[in-house]
PDB file of all heavy atoms in Angstrom:
ATOM      1  N   THR W 286      95.588 105.747  83.473  1.00 95.00           N
ATOM      2  CA  THR W 286      95.360 106.802  84.458  1.00 95.00           C
ATOM      3  C   THR W 286      93.933 106.682  84.954  1.00 95.00           C
ATOM      4  O   THR W 286      92.984 106.699  84.158  1.00 95.00           O
ATOM      5  CB  THR W 286      95.606 108.193  83.853  1.00 95.00           C
ATOM      6  OG1 THR W 286      96.947 108.267  83.351  1.00 95.00           O
ATOM      7  CG2 THR W 286      95.410 109.280  84.903  1.00 95.00           C
ATOM      8  N   ASP W 287      93.778 106.538  86.265  1.00 95.00           N
ATOM      9  CA  ASP W 287      92.465 106.360  86.885  1.00 95.00           C
ATOM     10  C   ASP W 287      92.133 107.557  87.760  1.00 95.00           C
ATOM     11  O   ASP W 287      93.019 108.207  88.319  1.00 95.00           O
ATOM     12  CB  ASP W 287      92.444 105.095  87.749  1.00 95.00           C
ATOM     13  CG  ASP W 287      92.659 103.830  86.941  1.00 95.00           C
ATOM     14  OD1 ASP W 287      92.159 103.763  85.809  1.00 95.00           O
ATOM     15  OD2 ASP W 287      93.341 102.911  87.437  1.00 95.00           O
ATOM     16  N   ARG W 288      90.853 107.819  87.869  1.00 95.00           N
ATOM     17  CA  ARG W 288      90.362 108.788  88.847  1.00 95.00           C
ATOM     18  C   ARG W 288      89.756 108.027  90.022  1.00 95.00           C
ATOM     19  O   ARG W 288      89.005 107.077  89.828  1.00 95.00           O
ATOM     20  CB  ARG W 288      89.323 109.717  88.214  1.00 95.00           C
ATOM     21  CG  ARG W 288      88.800 110.780  89.169  1.00 95.00           C
ATOM     22  CD  ARG W 288      88.007 111.852  88.457  1.00 95.00           C
ATOM     23  NE  ARG W 288      88.862 112.737  87.678  1.00 95.00           N
ATOM     24  CZ  ARG W 288      88.800 112.855  86.350  1.00 95.00           C
ATOM     25  NH1 ARG W 288      87.929 112.140  85.668  1.00 95.00           N
ATOM     26  NH2 ARG W 288      89.597 113.687  85.702  1.00 95.00           N
ATOM     27  N   LEU W 289      90.119 108.430  91.238  1.00 95.00           N
ATOM     28  CA  LEU W 289      89.618 107.777  92.442  1.00 95.00           C
ATOM     29  C   LEU W 289      88.292 108.403  92.865  1.00 95.00           C
ATOM     30  O   LEU W 289      88.166 109.628  92.903  1.00 95.00           O
ATOM     31  CB  LEU W 289      90.638 107.888  93.576  1.00 95.00           C
ATOM     32  CG  LEU W 289      91.971 107.148  93.376  1.00 95.00           C
ATOM     33  CD1 LEU W 289      92.883 107.403  94.575  1.00 95.00           C
ATOM     34  CD2 LEU W 289      91.755 105.670  93.172  1.00 95.00           C
ATOM     35  N   TRP W 290      87.345 107.541  93.204  1.00 95.00           N
ATOM     36  CA  TRP W 290      86.026 107.987  93.640  1.00 95.00           C
ATOM     37  C   TRP W 290      85.714 107.365  94.998  1.00 95.00           C
ATOM     38  O   TRP W 290      85.955 106.180  95.222  1.00 95.00           O
ATOM     39  CB  TRP W 290      84.946 107.568  92.638  1.00 95.00           C
ATOM     40  CG  TRP W 290      85.052 108.268  91.308  1.00 95.00           C
ATOM     41  CD1 TRP W 290      85.852 107.921  90.267  1.00 95.00           C
ATOM     42  CD2 TRP W 290      84.341 109.438  90.906  1.00 95.00           C
ATOM     43  NE1 TRP W 290      85.681 108.799  89.222  1.00 95.00           N
ATOM     44  CE2 TRP W 290      84.759 109.739  89.586  1.00 95.00           C
ATOM     45  CE3 TRP W 290      83.387 110.252  91.509  1.00 95.00           C
ATOM     46  CZ2 TRP W 290      84.252 110.821  88.885  1.00 95.00           C
ATOM     47  CZ3 TRP W 290      82.881 111.334  90.805  1.00 95.00           C
ATOM     48  CH2 TRP W 290      83.310 111.613  89.498  1.00 95.00           C
ATOM     49  N   ARG W 291      85.187 108.186  95.883  1.00 94.00           N
ATOM     50  CA  ARG W 291      84.783 107.733  97.215  1.00 94.00           C
ATOM     51  C   ARG W 291      83.267 107.760  97.291  1.00 94.00           C
ATOM     52  O   ARG W 291      82.634 108.786  97.035  1.00 94.00           O
ATOM     53  CB  ARG W 291      85.391 108.635  98.298  1.00 94.00           C
ATOM     54  CG  ARG W 291      85.039 108.243  99.730  1.00 94.00           C
ATOM     55  CD  ARG W 291      85.646 109.237 100.716  1.00 94.00           C
ATOM     56  NE  ARG W 291      85.312 108.895 102.101  1.00 94.00           N
ATOM     57  CZ  ARG W 291      84.206 109.292 102.712  1.00 94.00           C
ATOM     58  NH1 ARG W 291      83.322 110.041 102.062  1.00 94.00           N
ATOM     59  NH2 ARG W 291      83.978 108.940 103.970  1.00 94.00           N
ATOM     60  N   TRP W 292      82.679 106.596  97.661  1.00 92.00           N
ATOM     61  CA  TRP W 292      81.219 106.487  97.713  1.00 92.00           C
ATOM     62  C   TRP W 292      80.796 105.835  99.011  1.00 92.00           C
ATOM     63  O   TRP W 292      81.431 104.884  99.490  1.00 92.00           O
ATOM     64  CB  TRP W 292      80.702 105.653  96.539  1.00 92.00           C
ATOM     65  CG  TRP W 292      79.213 105.434  96.561  1.00 92.00           C
ATOM     66  CD1 TRP W 292      78.246 106.291  96.097  1.00 92.00           C
ATOM     67  CD2 TRP W 292      78.521 104.301  97.077  1.00 92.00           C
ATOM     68  NE1 TRP W 292      77.004 105.751  96.294  1.00 92.00           N
ATOM     69  CE2 TRP W 292      77.138 104.527  96.895  1.00 92.00           C
ATOM     70  CE3 TRP W 292      78.937 103.116  97.684  1.00 92.00           C
ATOM     71  CZ2 TRP W 292      76.167 103.605  97.285  1.00 92.00           C
ATOM     72  CZ3 TRP W 292      77.973 102.196  98.085  1.00 92.00           C
ATOM     73  CH2 TRP W 292      76.602 102.448  97.875  1.00 92.00           C
ATOM     74  N   GLN W 293      79.736 106.357  99.576  1.00 87.00           N
ATOM     75  CA  GLN W 293      79.144 105.788 100.785  1.00 87.00           C
ATOM     76  C   GLN W 293      77.635 105.907 100.677  1.00 87.00           C
ATOM     77  O   GLN W 293      77.107 106.959 100.300  1.00 87.00           O
ATOM     78  CB  GLN W 293      79.646 106.492 102.045  1.00 87.00           C
ATOM     79  CG  GLN W 293      79.222 105.819 103.346  1.00 87.00           C
ATOM     80  CD  GLN W 293      79.907 106.432 104.556  1.00 87.00           C
ATOM     81  OE1 GLN W 293      80.498 107.510 104.473  1.00 87.00           O
ATOM     82  NE2 GLN W 293      79.862 105.750 105.689  1.00 87.00           N
ATOM     83  N   SER W 294      76.977 104.821 100.992  1.00 79.00           N
ATOM     84  CA  SER W 294      75.522 104.800 100.878  1.00 79.00           C
ATOM     85  C   SER W 294      74.902 105.785 101.858  1.00 79.00           C
ATOM     86  O   SER W 294      75.238 105.789 103.044  1.00 79.00           O
ATOM     87  CB  SER W 294      74.994 103.383 101.130  1.00 79.00           C
ATOM     88  OG  SER W 294      73.579 103.370 101.111  1.00 79.00           O
ATOM     89  N   ALA W 295      74.020 106.626 101.350  1.00 69.00           N
ATOM     90  CA  ALA W 295      73.321 107.577 102.207  1.00 69.00           C
ATOM     91  C   ALA W 295      72.327 106.841 103.103  1.00 69.00           C
ATOM     92  O   ALA W 295      71.728 105.836 102.711  1.00 69.00           O
ATOM     93  CB  ALA W 295      72.602 108.623 101.364  1.00 69.00           C
ATOM     94  N   ALA W 296      72.181 107.336 104.320  1.00 58.00           N
ATOM     95  CA  ALA W 296      71.309 106.658 105.288  1.00 58.00           C
ATOM     96  C   ALA W 296      69.854 106.670 104.840  1.00 58.00           C
ATOM     97  O   ALA W 296      69.103 105.738 105.116  1.00 58.00           O
ATOM     98  CB  ALA W 296      71.449 107.315 106.660  1.00 58.00           C
ATOM     99  N   ASP W 297      69.433 107.727 104.121  1.00 55.00           N
ATOM    100  CA  ASP W 297      68.038 107.841 103.712  1.00 55.00           C
ATOM    101  C   ASP W 297      67.790 107.281 102.314  1.00 55.00           C
ATOM    102  O   ASP W 297      66.686 107.390 101.788  1.00 55.00           O
ATOM    103  CB  ASP W 297      67.595 109.309 103.751  1.00 55.00           C
ATOM    104  CG  ASP W 297      68.493 110.191 102.875  1.00 55.00           C
ATOM    105  OD1 ASP W 297      69.565 109.715 102.457  1.00 55.00           O
ATOM    106  OD2 ASP W 297      68.116 111.362 102.642  1.00 55.00           O
ATOM    107  N   ARG W 298      68.816 106.675 101.682  1.00 62.00           N
ATOM    108  CA  ARG W 298      68.662 106.152 100.332  1.00 62.00           C
ATOM    109  C   ARG W 298      68.269 104.686 100.394  1.00 62.00           C
ATOM    110  O   ARG W 298      68.914 103.885 101.069  1.00 62.00           O
ATOM    111  CB  ARG W 298      69.944 106.313  99.526  1.00 62.00           C
ATOM    112  CG  ARG W 298      69.814 105.874  98.066  1.00 62.00           C
ATOM    113  CD  ARG W 298      71.100 106.119  97.294  1.00 62.00           C
ATOM    114  NE  ARG W 298      71.005 105.685  95.915  1.00 62.00           N
ATOM    115  CZ  ARG W 298      70.521 106.415  94.938  1.00 62.00           C
ATOM    116  NH1 ARG W 298      70.082 107.642  95.187  1.00 62.00           N
ATOM    117  NH2 ARG W 298      70.462 105.955  93.707  1.00 62.00           N
ATOM    118  N   VAL W 299      67.213 104.317  99.682  1.00 59.00           N
ATOM    119  CA  VAL W 299      66.746 102.937  99.647  1.00 59.00           C
ATOM    120  C   VAL W 299      67.562 102.167  98.626  1.00 59.00           C
ATOM    121  O   VAL W 299      67.758 102.618  97.496  1.00 59.00           O
ATOM    122  CB  VAL W 299      65.245 102.875  99.295  1.00 59.00           C
ATOM    123  CG1 VAL W 299      64.765 101.431  99.253  1.00 59.00           C
ATOM    124  CG2 VAL W 299      64.438 103.684 100.312  1.00 59.00           C
ATOM    125  N   ALA W 300      68.067 101.013  99.030  1.00 61.00           N
ATOM    126  CA  ALA W 300      68.853 100.190  98.112  1.00 61.00           C
ATOM    127  C   ALA W 300      67.984  99.688  96.979  1.00 61.00           C
ATOM    128  O   ALA W 300      66.821  99.310  97.190  1.00 61.00           O
ATOM    129  CB  ALA W 300      69.466  99.014  98.867  1.00 61.00           C
ATOM    130  N   PRO W 301      68.494  99.675  95.741  1.00 65.00           N
ATOM    131  CA  PRO W 301      67.697  99.198  94.607  1.00 65.00           C
ATOM    132  C   PRO W 301      67.479  97.697  94.691  1.00 65.00           C
ATOM    133  O   PRO W 301      67.995  97.009  95.581  1.00 65.00           O
ATOM    134  CB  PRO W 301      68.569  99.572  93.401  1.00 65.00           C
ATOM    135  CG  PRO W 301      69.959  99.657  93.937  1.00 65.00           C
ATOM    136  CD  PRO W 301      69.829 100.137  95.347  1.00 65.00           C
ATOM    137  N   ALA W 302      66.708  97.184  93.753  1.00 62.00           N
ATOM    138  CA  ALA W 302      66.421  95.759  93.718  1.00 62.00           C
ATOM    139  C   ALA W 302      67.720  94.964  93.654  1.00 62.00           C
ATOM    140  O   ALA W 302      68.719  95.413  93.092  1.00 62.00           O
ATOM    141  CB  ALA W 302      65.536  95.430  92.515  1.00 62.00           C
ATOM    142  N   ALA W 303      67.666  93.768  94.220  1.00 58.00           N
ATOM    143  CA  ALA W 303      68.877  92.957  94.331  1.00 58.00           C
ATOM    144  C   ALA W 303      69.502  92.689  92.974  1.00 58.00           C
ATOM    145  O   ALA W 303      70.712  92.798  92.800  1.00 58.00           O
ATOM    146  CB  ALA W 303      68.561  91.646  95.034  1.00 58.00           C
ATOM    147  N   SER W 304      68.712  92.337  91.957  1.00 66.00           N
ATOM    148  CA  SER W 304      69.253  92.038  90.637  1.00 66.00           C
ATOM    149  C   SER W 304      68.125  92.030  89.628  1.00 66.00           C
ATOM    150  O   SER W 304      66.959  91.816  89.975  1.00 66.00           O
ATOM    151  CB  SER W 304      69.970  90.678  90.638  1.00 66.00           C
ATOM    152  OG  SER W 304      69.039  89.643  90.936  1.00 66.00           O
ATOM    153  N   PRO W 305      68.439  92.273  88.356  1.00 72.00           N
ATOM    154  CA  PRO W 305      67.402  92.149  87.327  1.00 72.00           C
ATOM    155  C   PRO W 305      66.827  90.735  87.306  1.00 72.00           C
ATOM    156  O   PRO W 305      67.472  89.764  87.723  1.00 72.00           O
ATOM    157  CB  PRO W 305      68.167  92.481  86.036  1.00 72.00           C
ATOM    158  CG  PRO W 305      69.354  93.282  86.473  1.00 72.00           C
ATOM    159  CD  PRO W 305      69.718  92.751  87.824  1.00 72.00           C
ATOM    160  N   ALA W 306      65.621  90.628  86.764  1.00 72.00           N
ATOM    161  CA  ALA W 306      64.925  89.339  86.803  1.00 72.00           C
ATOM    162  C   ALA W 306      65.660  88.262  86.032  1.00 72.00           C
ATOM    163  O   ALA W 306      65.625  87.082  86.409  1.00 72.00           O
ATOM    164  CB  ALA W 306      63.507  89.516  86.252  1.00 72.00           C
ATOM    165  N   GLU W 307      66.339  88.630  84.943  1.00 81.00           N
ATOM    166  CA  GLU W 307      67.010  87.619  84.115  1.00 81.00           C
ATOM    167  C   GLU W 307      68.377  87.204  84.645  1.00 81.00           C
ATOM    168  O   GLU W 307      69.028  86.334  84.062  1.00 81.00           O
ATOM    169  CB  GLU W 307      67.157  88.127  82.680  1.00 81.00           C
ATOM    170  CG  GLU W 307      68.150  89.258  82.479  1.00 81.00           C
ATOM    171  CD  GLU W 307      67.559  90.637  82.738  1.00 81.00           C
ATOM    172  OE1 GLU W 307      66.456  90.699  83.329  1.00 81.00           O
ATOM    173  OE2 GLU W 307      68.194  91.631  82.349  1.00 81.00           O
ATOM    174  N   LEU W 308      68.838  87.828  85.736  1.00 91.00           N
ATOM    175  CA  LEU W 308      70.159  87.539  86.284  1.00 91.00           C
ATOM    176  C   LEU W 308      70.044  87.020  87.708  1.00 91.00           C
ATOM    177  O   LEU W 308      69.099  87.332  88.423  1.00 91.00           O
ATOM    178  CB  LEU W 308      71.042  88.795  86.251  1.00 91.00           C
ATOM    179  CG  LEU W 308      71.292  89.417  84.883  1.00 91.00           C
ATOM    180  CD1 LEU W 308      72.125  90.689  85.028  1.00 91.00           C
ATOM    181  CD2 LEU W 308      71.985  88.433  83.946  1.00 91.00           C
ATOM    182  N   GLN W 309      71.042  86.239  88.112  1.00 91.00           N
ATOM    183  CA  GLN W 309      71.097  85.691  89.457  1.00 91.00           C
ATOM    184  C   GLN W 309      72.196  86.394  90.252  1.00 91.00           C
ATOM    185  O   GLN W 309      73.289  86.620  89.735  1.00 91.00           O
ATOM    186  CB  GLN W 309      71.371  84.186  89.422  1.00 91.00           C
ATOM    187  CG  GLN W 309      70.282  83.359  88.772  1.00 91.00           C
ATOM    188  CD  GLN W 309      70.640  81.870  88.770  1.00 91.00           C
ATOM    189  OE1 GLN W 309      71.731  81.476  89.167  1.00 91.00           O
ATOM    190  NE2 GLN W 309      69.692  81.051  88.311  1.00 91.00           N
ATOM    191  N   LEU W 310      71.910  86.705  91.504  1.00 93.00           N
ATOM    192  CA  LEU W 310      72.896  87.298  92.399  1.00 93.00           C
ATOM    193  C   LEU W 310      73.589  86.182  93.168  1.00 93.00           C
ATOM    194  O   LEU W 310      72.937  85.391  93.854  1.00 93.00           O
ATOM    195  CB  LEU W 310      72.213  88.267  93.365  1.00 93.00           C
ATOM    196  CG  LEU W 310      73.118  88.933  94.400  1.00 93.00           C
ATOM    197  CD1 LEU W 310      74.114  89.880  93.727  1.00 93.00           C
ATOM    198  CD2 LEU W 310      72.286  89.684  95.439  1.00 93.00           C
ATOM    199  N   ARG W 311      74.918  86.107  93.039  1.00 93.00           N
ATOM    200  CA  ARG W 311      75.675  85.060  93.708  1.00 93.00           C
ATOM    201  C   ARG W 311      76.842  85.668  94.480  1.00 93.00           C
ATOM    202  O   ARG W 311      77.473  86.614  94.006  1.00 93.00           O
ATOM    203  CB  ARG W 311      76.215  84.037  92.699  1.00 93.00           C
ATOM    204  CG  ARG W 311      75.144  83.290  91.918  1.00 93.00           C
ATOM    205  CD  ARG W 311      75.768  82.248  91.016  1.00 93.00           C
ATOM    206  NE  ARG W 311      74.792  81.631  90.133  1.00 93.00           N
ATOM    207  CZ  ARG W 311      75.093  80.718  89.204  1.00 93.00           C
ATOM    208  NH1 ARG W 311      76.368  80.315  89.085  1.00 93.00           N
ATOM    209  NH2 ARG W 311      74.152  80.216  88.422  1.00 93.00           N
ATOM    210  N   PRO W 312      77.156  85.114  95.650  1.00 94.00           N
ATOM    211  CA  PRO W 312      78.317  85.603  96.412  1.00 94.00           C
ATOM    212  C   PRO W 312      79.605  85.017  95.843  1.00 94.00           C
ATOM    213  O   PRO W 312      79.603  83.975  95.169  1.00 94.00           O
ATOM    214  CB  PRO W 312      78.050  85.094  97.823  1.00 94.00           C
ATOM    215  CG  PRO W 312      77.252  83.832  97.612  1.00 94.00           C
ATOM    216  CD  PRO W 312      76.400  84.077  96.391  1.00 94.00           C
ATOM    217  N   LEU W 313      80.699  85.679  96.148  1.00 94.00           N
ATOM    218  CA  LEU W 313      82.006  85.186  95.731  1.00 94.00           C
ATOM    219  C   LEU W 313      82.486  84.127  96.710  1.00 94.00           C
ATOM    220  O   LEU W 313      82.595  84.383  97.905  1.00 94.00           O
ATOM    221  CB  LEU W 313      83.006  86.345  95.672  1.00 94.00           C
ATOM    222  CG  LEU W 313      84.466  85.968  95.379  1.00 94.00           C
ATOM    223  CD1 LEU W 313      84.600  85.319  94.014  1.00 94.00           C
ATOM    224  CD2 LEU W 313      85.367  87.194  95.484  1.00 94.00           C
ATOM    225  N   ASN W 314      82.770  82.937  96.194  1.00 94.00           N
ATOM    226  CA  ASN W 314      83.336  81.852  96.982  1.00 94.00           C
ATOM    227  C   ASN W 314      84.125  80.952  96.040  1.00 94.00           C
ATOM    228  O   ASN W 314      84.301  81.267  94.861  1.00 94.00           O
ATOM    229  CB  ASN W 314      82.247  81.070  97.735  1.00 94.00           C
ATOM    230  CG  ASN W 314      81.101  80.646  96.830  1.00 94.00           C
ATOM    231  OD1 ASN W 314      81.328  80.149  95.722  1.00 94.00           O
ATOM    232  ND2 ASN W 314      79.875  80.849  97.288  1.00 94.00           N
ATOM    233  N   ARG W 315      84.584  79.829  96.551  1.00 93.00           N
ATOM    234  CA  ARG W 315      85.426  78.954  95.727  1.00 93.00           C
ATOM    235  C   ARG W 315      84.671  78.353  94.550  1.00 93.00           C
ATOM    236  O   ARG W 315      85.263  78.054  93.510  1.00 93.00           O
ATOM    237  CB  ARG W 315      86.026  77.834  96.595  1.00 93.00           C
ATOM    238  CG  ARG W 315      87.037  78.341  97.608  1.00 93.00           C
ATOM    239  CD  ARG W 315      87.832  77.208  98.219  1.00 93.00           C
ATOM    240  NE  ARG W 315      88.880  77.740  99.092  1.00 93.00           N
ATOM    241  CZ  ARG W 315      90.061  78.133  98.677  1.00 93.00           C
ATOM    242  NH1 ARG W 315      90.366  78.060  97.389  1.00 93.00           N
ATOM    243  NH2 ARG W 315      90.953  78.612  99.518  1.00 93.00           N
ATOM    244  N   ARG W 316      83.371  78.173  94.692  1.00 94.00           N
ATOM    245  CA  ARG W 316      82.605  77.596  93.592  1.00 94.00           C
ATOM    246  C   ARG W 316      82.320  78.608  92.493  1.00 94.00           C
ATOM    247  O   ARG W 316      82.185  78.241  91.332  1.00 94.00           O
ATOM    248  CB  ARG W 316      81.289  77.014  94.123  1.00 94.00           C
ATOM    249  CG  ARG W 316      81.467  75.774  94.989  1.00 94.00           C
ATOM    250  CD  ARG W 316      80.139  75.281  95.513  1.00 94.00           C
ATOM    251  NE  ARG W 316      79.507  76.281  96.370  1.00 94.00           N
ATOM    252  CZ  ARG W 316      78.297  76.140  96.902  1.00 94.00           C
ATOM    253  NH1 ARG W 316      77.591  75.046  96.657  1.00 94.00           N
ATOM    254  NH2 ARG W 316      77.801  77.082  97.681  1.00 94.00           N
ATOM    255  N   THR W 317      82.208  79.890  92.853  1.00 94.00           N
ATOM    256  CA  THR W 317      81.860  80.913  91.866  1.00 94.00           C
ATOM    257  C   THR W 317      83.049  81.776  91.455  1.00 94.00           C
ATOM    258  O   THR W 317      82.896  82.646  90.598  1.00 94.00           O
ATOM    259  CB  THR W 317      80.767  81.823  92.433  1.00 94.00           C
ATOM    260  OG1 THR W 317      81.255  82.483  93.615  1.00 94.00           O
ATOM    261  CG2 THR W 317      79.513  81.034  92.785  1.00 94.00           C
ATOM    262  N   ALA W 318      84.222  81.558  92.049  1.00 95.00           N
ATOM    263  CA  ALA W 318      85.368  82.425  91.771  1.00 95.00           C
ATOM    264  C   ALA W 318      85.771  82.388  90.305  1.00 95.00           C
ATOM    265  O   ALA W 318      86.212  83.396  89.745  1.00 95.00           O
ATOM    266  CB  ALA W 318      86.548  82.032  92.658  1.00 95.00           C
ATOM    267  N   SER W 319      85.627  81.230  89.655  1.00 95.00           N
ATOM    268  CA  SER W 319      86.024  81.143  88.247  1.00 95.00           C
ATOM    269  C   SER W 319      85.170  82.046  87.363  1.00 95.00           C
ATOM    270  O   SER W 319      85.653  82.578  86.360  1.00 95.00           O
ATOM    271  CB  SER W 319      85.919  79.696  87.763  1.00 95.00           C
ATOM    272  OG  SER W 319      84.593  79.215  87.888  1.00 95.00           O
TER     273      SER W 319
END
């Protein structure tokens, strides 16, 4: 049983840092899908 949540970024909210220093941010594609 799941609860549904609706989220939308507020216009005045600053996005946090892309990723912690010890981790890499990668997009989803055929090379990273696994």
Side-chain angles (χ1 to χ4, degrees):
T286 302
D287 297 323
R288 182 168 287 117
L289 294 178
W290 293 83
R291 180 182 179 273
W292 177 83
Q293 188 172 14
S294 176
D297 57 347
R298 184 177 179 86
V299 180
S304 63
E307 70 275 14
L308 301 177
Q309 296 180 355
L310 178 67
R311 298 184 187 177
L313 174 62
N314 50 45
R315 292 193 175 275
R316 291 178 298 176
T317 61
S319 60

